[in-house]
Amino acid sequence: MARDPIQMLDEQAAPPTRTTQYGDDPAQVYDVRLPERVTRRLTVVVVHGGFWRPEYDRAHAGRQSQAFADAGYPTAVLEYRRPGMPGGGWPGTTEDIADAVTAVRRDPDLDQPWVLVGHSAGGQLVTWAAAQSWAHGIRGVVSLAGVLDLAHGVEHGVGGDAITTFLGGRPADVPDAYAAADPARLAPAIPTLLVHARDDDVVPFELSERYAAAHHGPHVRLTPVDGGGHYGLIDPEHPAFARVLEAVDLLAS
């Protein structure tokens, strides 16, 4: 029987090895989780979801991140400012991702190469990162049920008003923001793996399909998952999580 997603999101992981500041704001931090024994020479950088809303922070990504550490990967979970927080929204949220990744790359405990893993809104953020000039040196990104076509998402009410709140309006209102932030319009420069459950009723599978069609080529690979809904991909106890580990292992190989 499927687990209650609310209960799953409320479950707490063991405390991180440490928390490190990358900026002056209290939200500009990342949690480091180090495995008992490093067996994978690749750092997993986790970007949490929650439709960019301030009430959803990195706490719900703790168990997912601990599972990566238990699999032998040094892991960092990024926090970032969201709309409604000072400096959050577009472009401050993406600027935080860029600054946090820069800090992780300089962290002596988090060896290169790196892979970014983002769920839901975090999927938008990591695929946005995959198209930036500073992505050079990142092994690849993994989008889990990502919001990968923002204009289409607005048209179909994905996340209610989350996308327009993040970007400051609809596509006709702030076209430059959509041009710069919408993954569907940004060709990735590094390998980009998409993992998405067909039965996702929060972020439709169609959004990953549209991204894959827009950027068809050697950099992009879509892995459909037959079950798990929106949250199974971040639940280490769900069978769908095995597909996430497979994607990360593929980039590590």
Side-chain angles (χ1 to χ4, degrees):
M1 185 172 66
R3 280 161 33 88
D4 179 357
I6 302 301
Q7 178 186 10
M8 186 272 292
L9 291 175
D10 285 342
E11 292 175 352
Q12 298 295 307
T17 306
R18 61 174 162 87
T19 298
T20 297
Q21 201 88 23
Y22 67 85
D24 295 332
D25 192 275
Q28 293 173 319
V29 298
Y30 61 91
D31 292 337
V32 173
R33 286 181 166 83
L34 299 177
E36 292 185 7
R37 186 168 67 90
V38 175
T39 59
R40 294 343 198 257
R41 289 293 176 183
L42 181 147
T43 293
V44 176
V45 181
V46 175
V47 183
H48 71 81
F51 281 122
W52 312 276
R53 292 186 173 118
E55 59 264 35
Y56 297 107
D57 62 15
R58 70 192 187 283
H60 74 267
R63 291 176 61 255
Q64 168 198 11
S65 305
Q66 185 61 52
F68 289 130
D70 291 343
Y73 289 107
T75 304
V77 187
L78 308 187
E79 193 55 275
Y80 51 91
R81 296 169 297 170
R82 283 91 70 201
M85 303 169 67
W90 176 261
T93 294
T94 51
E95 291 171 348
D96 280 1
I97 298 302
D99 290 345
V101 171
T102 297
V104 166
R105 293 168 92 163
R106 294 172 177 167
D107 193 308
D109 290 331
L110 301 173
D111 292 337
Q112 62 175 318
W114 310 270
V115 60
L116 310 187
V117 178
H119 174 246
S120 194
Q124 179 269 329
L125 294 170
V126 300
T127 51
W128 169 85
Q132 305 307 305
S133 59
W134 50 261
H136 177 73
I138 297 173
R139 180 67 61 85
V141 306
V142 181
S143 168
L144 309 177
V147 189
L148 305 187
D149 190 325
L150 299 180
H152 187 76
V154 169
E155 181 181 351
H156 291 272
V158 175
D161 65 352
I163 298 172
T164 55
T165 299
F166 170 47
L167 292 183
R170 299 178 66 85
D173 303 324
V174 286
D176 290 348
Y178 282 82
D182 194 341
R185 309 186 192 190
L186 304 172
I190 58 178
T192 301
L193 308 185
L194 319 176
V195 184
H196 209 140
R198 294 186 185 276
D199 65 346
D200 191 328
D201 61 357
V202 177
V203 176
F205 177 75
E206 176 189 15
L207 268 64
S208 286
E209 283 188 308
R210 290 176 64 88
Y211 179 93
H215 305 304
H216 178 71
H219 276 323
V220 177
R221 172 176 169 177
L222 172 59
T223 299
V225 178
D226 289 333
H230 190 60
Y231 300 102
L233 296 174
I234 60 169
D235 182 359
E237 295 182 23
H238 196 286
F241 190 73
R243 307 304 297 274
V244 178
L245 284 174
E246 288 172 5
V248 173
D249 289 344
L250 181 64
L251 290 173
S253 61

